[in-house]
Amino acid sequence: MFEFYKDKFTRWVILLTLLLRLALLGYVLVFNPLGTTFFTFPDSPNYLYAAHSLLDTGTLLEPHTQAPMTFRTPGYPVFLALIWKAFGQQTTAVIVGQIILSVLLIALCYQAARVFLSQTAARAAAVLCAFSTVYWAYTYAYLSDILFAFLITAFLWAVLLHIKTSGTRPLLAASLLLALSVYVRPVAQNVFFISLVLLVIKHYKTGLKKTCQQAVIFILPFLLLTGAWQVRNKIQTGYAGFHSSAAYNLYFWNLDSVAREKGLPAQEGSRLLLQALPKDFYTWPLARQDAWFTQHAREMIAKYWPEKLIRAPYWLAKTLLGGSYTQLSRLILGRPALSEEEFSYQLNKTSALPAKHLQHPADWALFALCAAQTLLTAALAFIGVWAIIRQKNQRGFLIFMSLYILYFWAISSTFFGAGGRYRAPFESALCILAGAGFCALQSQIKKFRLTK
């Protein structure tokens, strides 16, 4: 079952990556002038406070209100709390845990590729995953990206096994893994509906009874697990939703358009939208807040959608080709210095190049390496799609992979702050397709040499 363990080449890739990532952590702890301060992002305190509160009080709490947590979901705070409970509340323990997950992600990528592709393609996928700038950068951060990427890639492997074998165990595993992924990042919720539709299409020829059985196996574990959190929210806060950030994010999704309409920089849009909130807004029940956010978000979407559509290709390109260079420059080069203004620039820059971060030859060299990695992976993935299209027995594989990638690519790119970090959920899938592309390219080169 775990074929990567039998493959000496892949074992060495995993071991070497593990050693290099541990060595990089050692460098940061001992020599990096920034220390570990850049591990903390603007979103990090939400996770860290909730993890601390879970250890101290047994309850996940919001950092500003000390109310039961609803804005974030519990997956990453629980992960942090478990590590701290076992090894003490040390930065090193968390990052080592994420390093282990990041190298196991290479094994998952190999396994998922091996379901439909050759050993060579799976090896290529593993190597590309090991070199991924996204996984390198955000392994060293108090963010949910690596945990989410690990779980959603495990889900992807289970789905591909079910597509190939129609087995019940992979389907059940897919349901459980998807539910766990949603607990880490709710953005995965829609993958449930996409998968369910494809599941019904796959099995409808086997008859209604068989199709319903397969659907129940997939639906029931997912609903029971995710429903448990909604029950908790209802009991503790009176709020029956899974998380209260969905409507909030939809409202602030329009901030760049609001700012542009006023002739202001995009970053000013957040301030304008905050000023538009009713004075007593945060005293309202969460359900009422959600309703207000949703209503005004829909009004802005109806108004600004033509502008959003025009800018979508640029945002999509930023996510697909973003090399997570700014975080890597902190990890490896120890610059630039951190500040609130710098983080705002990093997260919300509208320029194609991180010009403020390219002041020295070493900066340009690292940037070039990051760009080469992302361009190579993306190019090979497109070649892989073309190669798989020609294989009739792999259509189910390609359909699911394409929809999976397109969903995460689109939903994480339709705002002005899009960037390489948001490629993490589908980076492993890109590596799998790129593995197929590598094999196709290798085959064409061999044919060219033979005919020359």
Side-chain angles (χ1 to χ4, degrees):
M1 183 178 180
F2 297 106
E3 293 171 325
F4 81 91
Y5 188 74
K6 301 175 184 177
D7 188 329
K8 186 177 180 180
F9 175 85
T10 304
R11 291 205 315 271
W12 275 107
V13 169
I14 292 169
L15 179 60
L16 182 60
T17 306
L18 174 62
L19 294 175
L20 287 174
R21 289 184 181 171
L22 288 172
L24 183 55
L25 175 59
Y27 160 76
V28 170
L29 293 173
V30 178
F31 299 109
N32 192 309
L34 297 178
T36 61
T37 54
F38 62 90
F39 290 179
T40 303
F41 279 68
D43 286 348
S44 301
N46 296 288
Y47 299 119
L48 297 170
Y49 186 88
H52 284 299
S53 71
L54 181 60
L55 289 174
D56 296 339
T57 69
T59 304
L60 293 159
L61 300 176
E62 299 283 6
H64 303 297
T65 64
Q66 282 73 59
M69 186 179 71
T70 58
F71 191 77
R72 300 289 179 183
T73 45
Y76 190 59
V78 170
F79 170 77
L80 293 174
L82 289 173
I83 290 178
W84 287 341
K85 184 72 173 176
F87 302 103
Q89 298 184 27
Q90 301 293 326
T91 296
T92 305
V94 173
I95 302 306
V96 169
Q98 293 184 172
I99 287 172
I100 292 170
L101 285 183
S102 72
V103 296
L104 290 176
L105 187 56
I106 300 169
L108 286 175
C109 191
Y110 177 92
Q111 291 292 150
R114 198 68 185 91
V115 175
F116 280 96
L117 303 177
S118 67
Q119 184 185 63
T120 301
R123 285 176 170 180
V127 170
L128 290 166
C129 186
F131 278 100
S132 168
T133 54
V134 174
Y135 296 148
W136 272 94
Y138 294 103
T139 292
Y140 305 87
Y142 287 124
L143 292 171
S144 60
D145 298 67
I146 293 300
L147 177 60
F148 182 62
F150 175 81
L151 290 171
I152 203 69
T153 303
F155 158 78
L156 180 63
W157 176 30
V159 168
L160 295 181
L161 283 172
H162 178 74
I163 291 172
K164 182 148 189 191
T165 66
S166 297
T168 299
R169 288 183 180 179
L171 186 60
L172 179 59
S175 181
L176 294 170
L177 288 164
L178 184 58
L180 292 175
S181 301
V182 170
Y183 268 95
V184 178
R185 294 278 295 276
V187 71
Q189 279 182 311
N190 291 326
V191 176
F192 170 76
F193 301 105
I194 295 169
S195 302
L196 182 58
V197 170
L198 293 177
L199 179 68
V200 171
I201 293 172
K202 172 179 170 57
H203 289 285
Y204 82 97
K205 288 184 179 180
T206 63
L208 181 61
K209 182 179 179 181
K210 177 69 172 178
T211 302
C212 289
Q213 287 175 344
Q214 296 293 303
V216 167
I217 291 169
F218 183 67
I219 292 170
L220 199 56
F222 180 87
L223 292 185
L224 286 173
L225 278 178
T226 56
W229 183 248
Q230 290 182 250
V231 171
R232 173 267 188 191
N233 288 345
K234 181 66 175 176
I235 292 172
Q236 294 193 10
T237 70
Y239 176 72
F242 189 74
H243 66 113
S244 59
S245 61
Y248 173 94
N249 290 334
L250 192 64
Y251 177 71
F252 284 95
W253 181 67
N254 298 282
L255 66 88
D256 56 324
S257 297
V258 170
R260 194 173 292 109
E261 187 178 50
K262 302 290 185 181
L264 297 170
Q267 290 85 342
E268 290 295 307
S270 181
R271 177 179 59 81
L272 294 173
L273 289 175
L274 283 171
Q275 288 177 348
L277 297 176
K279 289 184 179 180
D280 60 344
F281 182 78
Y282 288 109
T283 66
W284 295 359
L286 287 173
R288 186 182 175 193
Q289 292 180 24
D290 268 15
W292 192 94
F293 276 139
T294 301
Q295 177 189 342
H296 287 79
R298 286 173 177 170
E299 291 171 359
M300 288 188 285
I301 290 169
K303 181 179 180 180
Y304 298 125
W305 72 264
E307 177 188 315
K308 294 282 187 182
L309 193 62
I310 290 171
R311 296 184 64 80
Y314 174 70
W315 288 329
L316 289 165
K318 279 185 71 179
T319 299
L320 183 65
L321 302 178
S324 300
Y325 163 76
T326 50
Q327 178 69 356
L328 284 172
S329 70
R330 294 190 176 104
L331 269 168
I332 298 171
L333 303 176
R335 56 178 178 260
L338 298 177
S339 66
E340 186 175 340
E341 178 187 359
E342 170 56 32
F343 260 128
S344 178
Y345 169 76
Q346 176 182 341
L347 298 173
N348 303 320
K349 65 181 182 292
T350 55
S351 61
L353 296 177
K356 285 176 60 177
H357 294 186
L358 299 172
Q359 304 297 322
H360 308 279
D363 299 335
W364 281 101
L366 180 60
F367 179 77
L369 289 172
C370 292
Q373 182 273 320
T374 52
L375 287 169
L376 178 64
T377 303
L380 287 175
F382 281 112
I383 295 170
V385 169
W386 178 251
I388 295 169
I389 285 174
R390 300 161 65 183
Q391 306 293 324
K392 292 183 179 179
N393 62 335
Q394 295 185 350
R395 286 177 180 172
F397 163 59
L398 182 60
I399 289 170
F400 183 83
M401 292 288 286
S402 299
L403 290 175
Y404 174 91
I405 290 171
L406 289 172
Y407 167 72
F408 279 116
W409 186 14
I411 202 167
S412 60
S413 302
T414 49
F415 68 108
F416 84 105
R421 175 190 166 192
Y422 299 103
R423 197 172 67 248
F426 66 93
E427 176 83 341
S428 56
L430 281 178
C431 291
I432 292 168
L433 293 180
F438 173 81
C439 281
L441 199 60
Q442 187 182 55
S443 177
Q444 290 301 314
I445 291 172
K446 286 181 178 178
K447 287 181 181 178
F448 176 78
R449 286 177 176 174
L450 289 172
T451 56
K452 194 173 180 181

